Amino acid sequence: MADVLLEVRDVVKHYPVRRGVVVQRTVGSVQAVDGVSLALRRGRTLGLVGESGSGKSTLARLLVGVEKPTAGQILLEGTDVTRMDRTARRALRQKVQMIFQDPYTSLNPRMSVGEIVGEAFELHPASAPAGSRQAAVQELLELVGLDPDHVHRYPHQFSGGQRQRIGIARALAVRPSVLVCDEPVSALDVSVQGQVINLLRRLQRELGLSYLFIAHDLAVVRHIAHEVSVMYLGRVVETGPRAGVYGSPRHPYTRALMSAVPLPDPTLRGRRDEIVLEGDVPSPSSPPSGCRFHTRCWWAGRQTADGSVPAPCRGEDPRLTGDGDHLSACHFPVAGPTGAGGAADGLRTVAR
């Protein structure tokens, strides 16, 4: 599509597993990201959700160029950045910046706020002329809602929410097109989370930014994202517009995630369907054959008379299919909108 700014095509990132003290040998690989495809449009937010270990943060590091993919393509404005040389990748980092999860450890405590934000100008001099960098730093601080006169203060003199605003200002210093937000509000108080989310939405409107927003909190993602992709064990299992993924999720894993979202209305608590997944997430170094979710799937057993997992789920790797932009990787997609409980209409069973 013409409005796609950043596209990920079948990206793979495997880490080798080695054994031995003197003579090391490769005995396997950790499949952190295994064939992920995504598309981020201009001025839009793509929410990326999933359990810890699903590959979200690894994908984020690939997008900002911190790590190189094992296979696949990452296209920025139509150019494959995986084939760029070192000089070209440095220019890429000017267009794609990252906001980190922990506002306490992501800022150098030995540097003042002015030095932290202004450091980007040293690496990318074209972003601000040498004589105007102090003013540029103050302008960035004011843009994110901080006092521009606090440029000489140090990170320990700010609250957690203020530190995250400093991190956002640092990311904006080089005028990027894309911000990769890796759990940017998970370490903040709930009231502060709302302020930071509102700030990100305002910056998107004013600057035309595109966000890849990674989070565990589905309520936060619903508030900020236009499209949503769900990852499980290194793969995208469902993707589509926010209304479709939240209103009528088709993958059993997505249904389980939705059923775990806390309800703000106390009168509805205890009245919705609860989907409790059985067992732990399989190891990414030895994922199950066929559908990677079939070992924990609450829906698969309903497709056979004896409650066993169907053969396609055990032996055939499902691909993303569906109608329009709403796709799911499931042999037996769950039909119907979520009701009060987040499961398919008529389901009143707790899967254990």
Side-chain angles (χ1 to χ4, degrees):
M1 293 184 294
D3 62 341
V4 171
L5 178 61
L6 181 66
E7 186 176 5
V8 177
R9 294 181 182 174
D10 299 318
V11 164
V12 174
K13 181 61 180 179
H14 291 178
Y15 296 96
V17 177
R18 298 186 174 93
R19 290 181 181 174
V21 178
V22 178
V23 179
Q24 289 193 341
R25 57 192 179 90
T26 301
V27 297
S29 64
V30 175
Q31 301 176 22
V33 175
D34 196 34
V36 168
S37 296
L38 297 171
L40 176 61
R41 294 187 288 170
R42 296 180 186 274
R44 307 279 285 184
T45 299
L46 173 62
L48 191 62
V49 301
E51 293 174 274
S52 297
S54 62
K56 305 185 303 299
S57 293
T58 299
L59 181 61
R61 291 194 295 271
L62 294 172
L63 294 180
V64 297
V66 174
E67 297 192 37
K68 296 186 67 175
T70 306
Q73 295 179 300
I74 300 174
L75 305 178
L76 180 63
E77 296 180 327
T79 303
D80 187 358
V81 302
T82 61
R83 300 180 182 274
M84 289 180 174
D85 57 23
R86 186 173 182 179
T87 303
R89 285 200 303 272
R90 186 174 184 179
L92 161 70
R93 294 192 179 98
Q94 186 170 353
K95 296 182 179 180
V96 182
Q97 287 288 301
M98 192 167 184
I99 301 173
F100 298 93
Q101 176 178 0
D102 192 345
Y104 294 90
T105 60
S106 62
L107 302 180
N108 190 335
R110 297 177 180 271
M111 297 174 66
S112 68
V113 171
E115 292 171 332
I116 291 172
V117 177
E119 186 178 24
F121 301 142
E122 301 294 333
L123 300 174
H124 302 279
S127 300
S132 63
R133 290 177 183 175
Q134 174 83 7
V137 170
Q138 292 180 311
E139 183 180 348
L140 286 166
L141 293 180
E142 188 173 10
L143 180 65
V144 298
L146 295 175
D147 191 334
D149 293 331
H150 291 170
V151 291
H152 301 296
R153 292 190 178 186
Y154 288 83
H156 73 272
Q157 296 176 287
F158 295 87
S159 66
Q162 290 174 324
R163 294 186 194 196
Q164 196 61 290
R165 291 173 185 264
I166 295 170
I168 295 172
R170 176 178 59 185
L172 294 176
V174 292
R175 302 174 185 175
S177 304
V178 177
L179 287 185
V180 178
C181 309
D182 189 9
E183 301 273 4
V185 298
S186 62
L188 306 177
D189 294 338
V190 175
S191 59
V192 180
Q193 287 183 9
Q195 296 173 14
V196 173
I197 292 298
N198 289 335
L199 170 64
L200 290 173
R201 294 181 67 180
R202 176 175 63 81
L203 292 173
Q204 186 174 57
R205 291 193 304 269
E206 295 178 357
L207 305 178
L209 296 168
S210 300
Y211 298 145
L212 177 69
F213 193 92
I214 300 171
H216 285 89
D217 193 330
L218 295 177
V220 171
V221 173
R222 186 171 193 170
H223 186 68
I224 192 172
H226 300 98
E227 290 83 31
V228 179
S229 292
V230 182
M231 286 190 70
Y232 180 80
L233 209 60
R235 291 188 177 176
V236 172
V237 297
E238 185 162 358
T239 185
R242 175 184 59 194
V245 174
Y246 277 84
S248 185
R250 299 171 182 174
H251 197 281
Y253 178 63
T254 309
R255 292 266 173 168
L257 290 181
M258 296 303 172
S259 76
V261 177
L263 293 174
D265 187 349
T267 62
L268 296 178
R269 296 172 188 170
R271 294 172 50 192
R272 70 174 182 180
D273 304 317
E274 180 186 6
I275 302 173
V276 181
L277 299 180
E278 185 179 41
D280 297 325
V281 179
S283 171
S285 61
S286 182
S289 60
C291 175
R292 298 191 173 192
F293 185 61
H294 84 260
T295 59
R296 305 174 69 202
C297 186
W298 57 274
W299 181 247
R302 299 176 183 272
Q303 312 309 313
T304 58
D306 59 358
S308 61
V309 177
C313 300
R314 291 182 279 108
E316 299 177 21
D317 188 9
R319 298 300 177 184
L320 286 169
T321 58
D323 54 328
D325 296 329
H326 191 177
L327 310 175
S328 65
C330 183
H331 293 297
F332 304 96
V334 186
T338 55
D345 287 346
L347 270 180
R348 293 298 303 172
T349 304
V350 176
R352 295 190 182 277

